[in-house]
Amino acid sequence: NGIRFKWSELSIAQRNDLRTSSAGTLGSVAVGRARLAYLRGDQSKEGTGKPFRVRASRMGDVWHSGPIYVGKPNIPWLARIKEGKPYSSYQRSQKGRAGMVYVGSNGGMLHGFDAATGVEKMAYLPAALFSTAISKGYHALTDPDYAHAPLYVDATPLLADARIEGEWRTLLVGGLGRGGRGVYALDVTDPDELALKSKANQTVLWEFTKDDDAHLGYTYSRPLVAYLNNGKWAAIFGNGINDSGSDATGGKAQLFIVYLDGPGADGVWNLDTDYHRITTSKGSTTERNGLFSPKVVDVDGNGTTDLLYAGDLYGNLWRFDLSGPNATDWQPPDNPLFSGSKTRPITSPPLITSPPTSVSALAGEGGRMIFFGTGRFLIDGDKTDINKQHYYGLLDRSTPAYSVGSSAHIEVTNLKLTNFVKQTFLSGAAAGGRLTDPDLVVSYSATSIPTSTNKFGWYIELPTSGERVIAGSIARTGHVLFNTIIPDRSACSSSGSGSEWHVRMQNGGSPLTPQFDFNGDGRIDAADGVVVDGRTVGYAARKLEGKGLLTAPSVIGNVRFAPSSGAKKTEDMNKTVLVGSDKESGRLSWGELSPREVTAPPAPAGTN
């Protein structure tokens, strides 16, 4: 249960954290109270001759947590859910809701700011981060020798609307990243209630930590919220890395499904009642694996999750079948969808789209394309990794076991590298540019059997030493866009460089025509491409120098944005002009205004 961050409301263990010195000894209650006041913003005890660390700002540094904007509810797919109160009624009731911005920090808190004024309305300190260990816990933040070594709320939360006890609510669900082994869920429906003293218990729905299940590692996996076929809502996430499970399933890549209504009246998280853990076959207590951020697919369009995809530290891509009406139907997969290499871990979320028509013409209708890259950048030692990394486009024609209207269950499994066609690089690119074969033939198999001759996709071997993919991709007009990073291997450096990639979904090739402003002159023309076999094709990638390490791309209108470690201000963010599109990505919604009353049949479900 949520409590106010006041001395009188803390548990004995939490008070002991605040009483603990940098040497690990337990100090007085007065010192503990002073530390609490410091964390709440009091600066009277920091400075020369005073006991606590001098801060450049009372807010801690933001490192791996991205800001999340919460305005009026607008998640279109929730309209597909027909049971209970319609989502549209919730949207109407909240249409005037004020905007908020939430971000995690390494000052120990998730912060919530009024989007219009910048005023902080709420700060949340996860209970999982209290500790009396040296260089851990909240007491470490006051240490004069604190060097930003312990991390705290170091992951980006997820915004979700969901039904809890029959009522629609707006939630933030997030992990701690490198900061710890825990996931939290907050109810942020009413921003005016966040600052009320009486509402702490309503704001904090629950925390799920390593103390509830030792198989939960550091929560690098970003949770998602899904409506399941058993009629329940859940937060779903991978177990991350460095779990401490010691039984037969310890160290394996595992999927957690945690129900949003939390533990029962006993306050204890009971396995297979309050949450489920689906264990894969890969990993051990001597060489621990871990599952990362998942993505889900609603195959039949009714709003429930049918299939789920996620990568692991061993380089495997897993498909979980959640189409059954009962949790007992959600059996562990026998094998990965794709069996990769431990030198090429999959730590970024996959991108899932419908196959382009050129692929369906070869393999038949149905299925989905899965795009994912390999590489890791989780701890300091990762930056010296020079193993060759890949980017894949995979066709999965599998159908859910309980798919409605499916004549036969199809299951593609255990694909190997030999089931993919390797892209080739062409000569003639300008400095900083990359060209891949736009005409590479990928003879997609119409069968689900992965023989050595059957092909299920393509892959690009990233060309630069140390180049890797650690963030998600996006789809746009038959192309897939992703960013790579190349860390600086110097011991004291936290920077590097990277490339923007823009390749064909069908084969990973360069676009058939220039798709982005390669030379930076503000327009897209023949100068942004290269002549290949008598025609001008576009670049597959452009290296960005001096921008630092890139995170996931985003597109607004016809501009691609690349946030990076080198962007100190918003205007420093790299912006690339893209070819205009008469189609928008994703599902579209619209309304019709008329000066008179008009009656008409409703639009078909799922209309774009």
Side-chain angles (χ1 to χ4, degrees), residues 371 391 393 423-424 435-438 440 442 444 458-460 480 501-511 540:
F371 301 96
Y391 191 87
Q423 253 295 349
T424 58
L435 289 173
T436 54
D437 184 357
L440 179 74
V442 181
Y444 287 91
W458 50 267
Y459 74 98
I460 299 171
V480 58
W501 288 77
H502 194 130
V503 298
R504 300 183 66 196
M505 286 183 175
Q506 176 185 350
N507 59 10
S510 288

Side-chain angles (χ1 to χ4, degrees), residues 91-160:
Q91 290 180 293
R92 288 192 295 271
S93 70
Q94 297 289 322
K95 64 182 181 180
R97 184 166 67 189
M100 292 283 292
V101 174
Y102 297 89
V103 67
S105 82
N106 290 311
M109 307 176 191
L110 176 85
H111 298 270
F113 301 97
D114 186 298
T117 66
V119 172
E120 185 177 32
K121 302 187 76 168
M122 184 272 284
Y124 162 65
L125 295 86
L129 295 174
F130 281 92
S131 174
T132 55
I134 294 176
S135 297
K136 291 186 178 181
Y138 289 104
H139 68 272
L141 290 164
T142 67
D143 187 349
D145 294 326
Y146 171 78
H148 300 269
L151 303 182
Y152 293 86
V153 189
D154 198 42
T156 303
L158 173 88
L159 165 66

Side-chain angles (χ1 to χ4, degrees), residues 243-471:
D243 74 287
S244 56
S246 57
D247 60 6
T249 66
K252 296 185 184 297
Q254 303 184 50
L255 182 72
F256 279 91
I257 301 174
V258 178
Y259 293 131
L260 289 184
D261 48 13
D266 61 357
V268 177
W269 289 101
N270 295 300
L271 181 63
D272 291 330
T273 300
D274 304 315
Y275 76 100
H276 305 285
R277 175 163 43 85
I278 303 178
T279 303
T280 72
S281 57
K282 303 296 183 181
S284 68
T285 54
T286 56
E287 189 176 5
R288 294 185 182 271
N289 195 0
L291 198 71
F292 286 83
S293 300
K295 286 293 182 70
V296 298
V297 178
D298 172 18
V299 175
D300 52 16
N302 66 350
T304 61
T305 291
D306 297 313
L307 297 175
L308 180 145
Y309 297 81
D312 73 13
L313 204 60
Y314 279 20
N316 303 304
L317 183 72
W318 295 91
R319 182 189 60 243
F320 298 84
D321 191 329
L322 305 180
S323 62
N326 302 299
T328 53
D329 301 319
W330 308 336
Q331 294 300 307
D334 293 329
N335 294 295
L337 168 60
F338 168 69
S339 296
S341 166
K342 292 179 182 178
T343 64
R344 290 189 287 271
I346 303 170
T347 61
S348 56
L351 168 68
I352 308 173
T353 75
S354 298
T357 55
S358 55
V359 173
S360 298
L362 294 170
E365 295 295 330
R368 59 215 62 87
M369 290 291 293
I370 318 296
F371 301 96
F372 58 98
T374 69
R376 57 177 281 172
F377 194 55
L378 306 175
I379 60 176
D380 291 340
D382 288 342
K383 63 183 177 181
T384 60
D385 182 7
I386 58 172
N387 288 300
K388 283 291 186 180
Q389 302 300 325
H390 293 168
Y391 191 87
Y392 296 88
L394 183 158
L395 173 65
D396 180 21
R397 299 188 66 250
S398 303
T399 58
Y402 294 83
S403 172
V404 176
S406 177
S407 58
H409 173 46
I410 300 173
E411 185 173 3
V412 179
T413 186
N414 216 24
L415 299 176
K416 302 290 198 304
L417 192 61
T418 55
N419 297 119
F420 295 79
V421 180
K422 184 178 181 180
Q423 253 295 349
T424 58
F425 287 92
L426 305 180
S427 60
R434 298 284 184 185
L435 289 173
T436 54
D437 184 357
D439 303 313
L440 179 74
V441 176
V442 181
S443 299
Y444 287 91
S445 174
T447 179
S448 61
I449 303 173
T451 65
S452 59
T453 57
N454 288 342
K455 303 303 180 184
F456 291 80
W458 50 267
Y459 74 98
I460 299 171
E461 186 172 272
L462 301 178
T464 305
S465 178
E467 188 172 8
R468 66 200 76 177
V469 178
I470 63 166

Side-chain angles (χ1 to χ4, degrees), residues 572-585:
D572 297 334
M573 191 186 309
N574 189 75
K575 297 177 282 291
T576 301
V577 176
L578 303 176
V579 164
S581 169
D582 58 357
K583 295 181 180 179
E584 296 291 340
S585 298

Side-chain angles (χ1 to χ4, degrees), residues 33-299:
R33 287 180 175 274
R35 281 199 177 91
L36 186 146
Y38 173 96
L39 294 173
R40 290 182 62 94
D42 178 63
Q43 296 182 289
S44 63
K45 293 188 180 299
E46 60 179 283
T48 303
K50 297 181 179 180
F52 298 152
R53 173 177 65 95
V54 177
R55 295 170 285 189
S57 167
R58 286 181 291 177
M59 179 175 169
D61 52 304
V62 177
W63 191 4
H64 295 109
S65 179
I68 294 294
Y69 174 78
V70 179
K72 58 185 180 182
N74 185 27
I75 303 178
W77 71 267
L78 293 177
R80 302 177 191 172
I81 299 174
K82 303 305 179 185
E83 298 82 6
K85 295 180 180 179
Y87 182 63
S88 57
S89 65
Y90 179 64
Q91 290 180 293
R92 288 192 295 271
S93 70
Q94 297 289 322
K95 64 182 181 180
R97 184 166 67 189
M100 292 283 292
V101 174
Y102 297 89
V103 67
S105 82
N106 290 311
M109 307 176 191
L110 176 85
H111 298 270
F113 301 97
D114 186 298
T117 66
V119 172
E120 185 177 32
K121 302 187 76 168
M122 184 272 284
Y124 162 65
L125 295 86
L129 295 174
F130 281 92
S131 174
T132 55
I134 294 176
S135 297
K136 291 186 178 181
Y138 289 104
H139 68 272
L141 290 164
T142 67
D143 187 349
D145 294 326
Y146 171 78
H148 300 269
L151 303 182
Y152 293 86
V153 189
D154 198 42
T156 303
L158 173 88
L159 165 66
D161 291 335
R163 277 205 302 257
I164 299 179
E165 297 180 349
E167 297 294 331
W168 286 101
R169 310 296 290 173
T170 296
L171 313 179
L172 283 184
V173 183
L176 304 177
R178 192 173 168 181
R181 296 165 59 190
V183 174
Y184 59 85
L186 306 181
D187 183 339
V188 295
T189 303
D190 189 342
D192 293 328
E193 291 185 349
L194 297 175
L196 298 179
K197 294 181 180 180
S198 60
K199 298 296 184 179
N201 189 43
Q202 294 180 25
T203 298
V204 181
L205 295 179
W206 47 258
E207 288 186 31
F208 182 86
T209 75
K210 62 179 177 56
D211 296 327
D212 301 304
D213 195 314
H215 299 87
L216 182 66
Y218 283 83
T219 46
Y220 289 98
S221 173
R222 190 183 186 196
L224 57 82
V225 169
Y227 183 46
L228 302 172
N229 282 290
N230 65 352
K232 293 189 175 183
W233 291 82
I236 305 179
F237 46 91
N239 64 326
I241 68 172
N242 296 340
D243 74 287
S244 56
S246 57
D247 60 6
T249 66
K252 296 185 184 297
Q254 303 184 50
L255 182 72
F256 279 91
I257 301 174
V258 178
Y259 293 131
L260 289 184
D261 48 13
D266 61 357
V268 177
W269 289 101
N270 295 300
L271 181 63
D272 291 330
T273 300
D274 304 315
Y275 76 100
H276 305 285
R277 175 163 43 85
I278 303 178
T279 303
T280 72
S281 57
K282 303 296 183 181
S284 68
T285 54
T286 56
E287 189 176 5
R288 294 185 182 271
N289 195 0
L291 198 71
F292 286 83
S293 300
K295 286 293 182 70
V296 298
V297 178
D298 172 18
V299 175

